[in-house]
């Protein structure tokens, strides 16, 4: 890279009050291109570089084969009657098939909705009805999720094997011949602002919203990520265990790997010793983590510095990482270069972080190509260094809004439409590194997953023993994450027994990240404002008082 981290400066415009990186002025302009062109333009069909490898199956995917298979499937989908601009949905775990299908949609000019394979029936039905996909790519194991959600198997395409019934198709049956694929050209839209990805983000008011990510957003975000000094380099080797349907892994582990001709080892799940042994065996050069995983590695008795001798740096995102956990991780693994990042689905990946040498506990400096302000949410005025303010961001990587939800889009941007109001509250230190200290939005972050309190509150109110309910996140230092906790009014019943009953009720009806791992508390009154809004600040005060008075006591109910 042309610049080093030591030469990076952050400046603040005296008029707009916006922070930006000195690297912004020297970084190349992002390409005006589609995602397919960005990743596979110029890749020959016989390019033998292995970019993805599945550790469980032993399968590998070269860049040349990726291009060929993406064109075979993409052309096949168009011949099935799909048209550019149609939506297809990926309901897939991390795999080579995920990457192939993803790039096939981009070849054909389709919009790709990225669904969580862990969605329960209600959630899957909601995102399906929102985006109305023409096809749903999934596995035979996950077909039961479609059945439970009441969705037609006629839309399903299985990627692992044919099931031969119910109208479901098999991926290989949709692929055209190699000769036909090699002669085909990728679809080019009239505008690179066309939506190409639809990942889902939980709002504070309930069910997931579709975030519109354009070709221009992706090209700008990749340009930013590869322009970070001493950051992602050519030929990097990493491990793909964070979910590809999530913006962070999608762009860093998939897109940047292809652009930088790196290699991702795809593992079926996180098991600490197996993870560490793979790092050692394959001489992994950087690892992307989330705080709970980092915490597990920091305390596991079988993890040693020897496992991580090849690692240049570790990045950590999706949720705040506290300084104590970071120090323990570095002492355990010998990885002292731990780079936090900050972002949200609406920023495609992020706007702060991956900064070498940033103060521990901060999310680092503003990324190249991004701009940020810290604004007092009550007065609308920019705050000074060291003061708390809501983080507002802008840049070519920022979403244009929410799919089929103009009201939510309007509420997320500033009145002039120029700034994304993130809902996170930050403080800038004297080195212009940001620390996230609070959230105006009330989302709970469980191991990087977004959990909307309002959704759980609505579910709780369907239980016959719950008269009123409220949900907040309580931070667990042991697990390095927030845990959803419910507060409720229950008429005349045994509190402990009812608490466990409520926990089991929620487990039966939601995805695992929404389980009430923080327990259940019974209140005489759930605090609300005159307008009826739950006063979660008052509940947090109750939690603080409980922790201060009863440190070490067991919660009322456990999972």
């Amino acid at each position: 890279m042309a610049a080093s981290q030591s030469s990076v400066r952050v400046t603040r415009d005296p008029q707009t009050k916006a922070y930006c990186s000195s690297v912004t002025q020297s970084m190349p302009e992002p390409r005006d291109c589609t995602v397919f062109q960005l990743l596979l333009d110029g890749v020959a069909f016989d390019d033998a570089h292995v970019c993805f490898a599945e550790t469980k199956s032993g399968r590998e995917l070269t860049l040349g084969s990726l291009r060929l298979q993406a064109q075979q499937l993409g052309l096949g989908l168009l011949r099935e009657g799909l048209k550019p601009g149609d939506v297809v949905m990926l309901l897939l775990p991390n795999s080579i098939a995920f990457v192939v299908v993803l790039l096939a949609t981009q070849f054909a000019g389709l919009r790709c909705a990225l669904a969580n394979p862990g969605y329960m029936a209600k959630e899957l039905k909601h995102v399906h009805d929102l985006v109305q996909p023409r096809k749903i790519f999934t596995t035979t194991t996950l077909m039961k999720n479609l059945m439970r959600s009441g969705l037609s198997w006629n839309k399903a395409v299985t990627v692992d094997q044919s099931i031969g019934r119910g109208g479901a198709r098999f991926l290989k049956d949709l692929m055209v011949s190699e000769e036909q694929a090699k002669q085909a050209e990728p679809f080019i839209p009239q505008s690179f602002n066309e939506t190409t990805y639809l990942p889902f983000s939980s709002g504070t008011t309930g069910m997931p919203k579709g975030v519109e990510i354009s070709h221009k957003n992706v090209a700008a975000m990749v340009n930013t990520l590869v322009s970070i000094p001493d950051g992602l380099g050519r030929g990097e080797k990493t491990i793909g265990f964070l979910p590809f349907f999530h913006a962070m892994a999608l762009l860093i582990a998939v897109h940047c790997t292809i652009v930088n001709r790196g290699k991702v080892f795809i593992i079926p799940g996180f098991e600490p010793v197996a993870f560490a042994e793979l790092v050692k065996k394959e001489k992994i050069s950087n690892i992307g983590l989330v705080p709970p995983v980092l915490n597990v590695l920091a305390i596991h008795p079988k993890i040693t510095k020897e496992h991580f001798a090849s690692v240049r740096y570790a990045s950590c995102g999706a949720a705040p990482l506290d300084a104590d956990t970071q120090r323990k991780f570095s002492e355990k693994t010998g990885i002292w270069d731990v780079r936090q990042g900050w972002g949200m689905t609406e920023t495609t990946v992020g706007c702060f972080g991956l900064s070498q040498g940033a103060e521990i506990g901060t999310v680092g400096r503003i990324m190249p190509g991004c701009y940020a302000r810290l604004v007092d949410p009550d007065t609308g005025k920019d705050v000074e260094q060291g003061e708390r303010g809501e983080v507002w961001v802008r840049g070519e990587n920022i979403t244009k809004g929410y799919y089929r939800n103009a009201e939510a889009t309007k509420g997320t941007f500033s009145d002039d439409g120029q700034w994304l109001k993130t809902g996170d509250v930050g403080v800038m230190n004297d080195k212009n590194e940001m620390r996230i200290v609070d959230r105006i939005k009330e989302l709970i972050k469980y191991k990087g997953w977004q959990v909307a309190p309002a959704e759980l509150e609505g579910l709780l109110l369907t239980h016959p023993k719950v008269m009123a309910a409220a949900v907040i996140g309580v931070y667990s230092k042991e697990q390095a994450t927030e845990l959803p906790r419910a507060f409720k009014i229950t008429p005349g019943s045994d509190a402990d027994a009812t608490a466990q009953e409520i926990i089991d009720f929620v487990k039966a009806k939601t995805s695992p990240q929404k389980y009430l791992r923080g327990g259940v508390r019974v209140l005489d009154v759930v605090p609300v404002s005159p307008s009826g809004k739950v006063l979660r600040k008052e509940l947090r005060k109750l939690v603080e008082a409980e922790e201060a008075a009863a440190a070490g006591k067991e919660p009322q109910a456990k999972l």
Side-chain angles (χ1 to χ4, degrees):
M1 301 245 173
S4 66
Q5 289 278 6
S6 60
S7 66
V8 176
R9 294 180 298 105
V10 174
T11 59
R12 191 184 192 194
D13 188 289
Q15 292 186 323
T16 66
K17 304 296 184 182
Y19 294 89
C20 73
S21 169
S22 60
V23 179
T24 299
Q25 280 65 45
S26 60
M27 67 189 292
E29 286 291 319
R31 287 180 61 189
D32 279 335
C33 61
T34 65
V35 170
F36 190 87
Q37 289 174 311
L38 175 72
L39 301 184
L40 295 177
D41 231 11
V43 171
F45 292 115
D46 61 354
D47 190 320
H49 174 75
V50 175
C51 50
F52 297 94
E54 293 177 351
T55 59
K56 185 176 181 180
S57 69
R59 287 192 291 267
E60 294 186 337
L61 182 68
T62 66
L63 282 175
S65 183
L66 171 57
R67 177 163 192 174
L68 177 60
Q69 291 182 49
Q71 295 193 187
Q72 285 180 280
L73 178 58
L75 183 57
L77 289 171
L78 294 175
R79 291 188 174 180
E80 279 283 300
L82 276 72
K83 297 179 177 60
D86 285 346
V87 176
V88 299
M89 180 182 288
L90 271 62
L91 186 69
L92 292 169
N94 288 10
S95 60
I96 284 173
F98 183 107
V99 181
V100 169
V101 175
L102 184 84
L103 271 296
T105 68
Q106 299 310 293
F107 176 84
L110 304 171
R111 296 177 176 182
C112 186
L114 301 160
N116 181 349
Y119 276 154
M120 298 294 280
K122 181 180 178 182
E123 298 156 319
L124 183 55
K125 180 72 162 55
H126 168 78
V127 297
H128 171 274
D129 291 350
L130 174 66
V131 302
Q132 292 291 312
R134 294 283 307 277
K135 296 288 183 184
I136 303 173
F137 287 88
T138 190
T139 65
T140 51
T141 301
L142 290 171
M143 284 292 288
K144 63 180 182 294
N145 292 21
L146 300 186
M147 184 185 303
R148 291 168 182 166
S149 304
L151 304 182
S152 171
W153 280 27
N154 289 328
K155 293 183 176 182
V157 179
T158 54
V159 302
D160 49 347
Q161 62 185 36
S162 175
I163 58 175
R165 58 189 175 88
R169 305 290 298 280
F170 182 38
L171 179 143
K172 289 186 178 179
D173 293 338
L174 297 180
M175 299 175 77
V176 302
S177 69
E178 291 188 9
E179 182 180 0
Q180 291 173 317
K182 288 178 179 179
Q183 295 173 356
E185 295 292 332
F187 176 80
I188 309 298
Q190 290 185 341
S191 169
F192 296 118
N193 282 316
E194 285 290 325
T195 299
T196 189
Y197 291 149
L198 287 166
F200 297 100
S201 173
S202 294
T204 58
T205 56
M207 298 297 280
K209 299 192 292 288
V211 180
E212 295 198 63
I213 301 298
S214 69
H215 296 280
K216 185 178 284 289
N217 291 153
V218 175
M221 193 72 251
V222 170
N223 193 43
T224 284
L225 290 169
V226 300
S227 295
I228 295 171
D230 302 320
L232 296 169
R234 300 284 286 182
E236 296 273 11
K237 291 196 290 186
T238 190
I239 299 177
F241 77 97
L242 298 177
F244 288 172
F245 64 81
H246 191 280
M248 186 170 82
L250 179 71
L251 268 290
I252 295 177
V254 177
H255 291 64
C256 287
T257 290
I258 295 172
V259 167
N260 280 335
R261 297 182 68 86
K263 184 175 183 179
V264 173
F265 293 87
I266 301 172
I267 59 177
F270 176 76
E271 194 287 316
V273 175
F275 178 88
E277 291 291 347
L278 182 61
V279 171
K280 179 181 177 181
K281 176 185 175 184
E282 300 296 344
K283 294 182 172 54
I284 299 299
S285 54
N286 71 64
I287 51 176
L289 306 171
V290 290
V293 168
L294 187 144
N295 184 61
V296 169
L297 294 172
I299 63 176
H300 198 285
K302 293 185 178 180
I303 300 299
T304 68
K305 291 182 176 67
E306 185 183 359
H307 284 118
F308 298 94
S310 63
V311 177
R312 285 199 305 121
Y313 70 90
S315 57
C316 187
L321 172 66
D322 70 275
D324 287 344
T325 301
Q326 184 173 330
R327 288 191 190 95
K328 289 178 182 176
F329 171 80
S330 294
E331 291 168 357
K332 182 76 169 180
T333 63
I335 304 173
W336 291 97
D337 190 358
V338 179
R339 308 181 189 183
Q340 282 206 63
W342 173 89
M344 51 201 299
T345 306
E346 290 83 348
T347 66
T348 307
V349 172
C351 290
F352 275 85
L354 303 186
S355 311
Q356 187 181 46
E359 181 179 317
I360 192 169
T362 74
V363 295
R365 298 179 289 273
I366 187 79
M367 289 182 178
C370 302
Y371 300 83
R373 295 164 57 194
L374 268 63
V375 178
D376 186 316
D378 295 322
T379 66
K381 295 181 178 179
D382 291 80
V383 303
E384 296 306 313
Q385 196 174 60
E387 297 179 350
R388 296 161 60 102
E390 181 183 10
V391 183
W392 289 18
V393 293
R394 70 176 174 87
E396 295 292 339
N397 59 313
I398 305 300
T399 178
K400 58 185 178 182
Y402 298 108
Y403 191 64
R404 296 179 176 171
N405 196 336
E407 183 179 353
T409 299
K410 183 179 179 181
T412 300
F413 286 87
S414 59
D415 291 341
D416 61 8
Q418 297 299 306
W419 296 88
L420 175 71
K421 301 188 293 184
T422 70
D424 279 350
V425 177
V427 174
M428 203 72 77
N429 68 12
D430 57 5
K431 299 177 184 177
N432 288 328
E433 298 163 342
M434 190 171 70
R435 185 185 306 275
I436 299 296
V437 295
D438 203 352
R439 279 201 300 277
I440 296 173
K441 289 185 176 183
E442 294 169 334
L443 288 175
I444 299 164
K445 281 289 192 75
Y446 171 71
K447 296 190 175 181
W449 301 105
Q450 296 177 342
V451 179
E455 179 189 349
L456 284 175
E457 289 163 359
L459 175 60
L460 288 167
L461 290 174
T462 66
H463 192 283
K465 292 184 180 179
V466 176
M467 292 177 60
V471 175
I472 65 171
V474 292
Y475 187 74
S476 165
K477 198 165 186 178
E478 291 75 21
Q479 298 186 50
T481 189
E482 287 183 313
L483 307 176
R485 175 178 292 177
F487 296 81
K488 63 183 180 61
I489 301 174
T490 304
S493 60
D494 180 84
D496 288 346
T498 304
Q500 189 61 55
E501 182 181 334
I502 296 298
I503 286 172
D504 294 339
F505 173 77
V506 170
K507 286 181 71 175
K509 293 182 176 293
T510 60
S511 305
Q513 67 267 23
K514 300 175 186 176
Y515 294 172
L516 298 175
R517 290 179 168 85
V520 174
R521 301 292 185 269
V522 179
L523 302 177
D524 293 329
V525 178
V526 171
V528 296
S529 69
S531 64
K533 183 178 180 181
V534 174
L535 297 175
R536 293 189 174 87
K537 287 185 178 179
E538 297 302 314
L539 295 176
R540 292 189 183 97
K541 290 179 182 178
L542 291 177
V543 172
E544 291 171 5
E546 177 185 303
E547 290 175 347
K553 286 189 177 181
E554 293 293 324
Q556 291 182 15
K558 293 182 179 180
L559 290 173

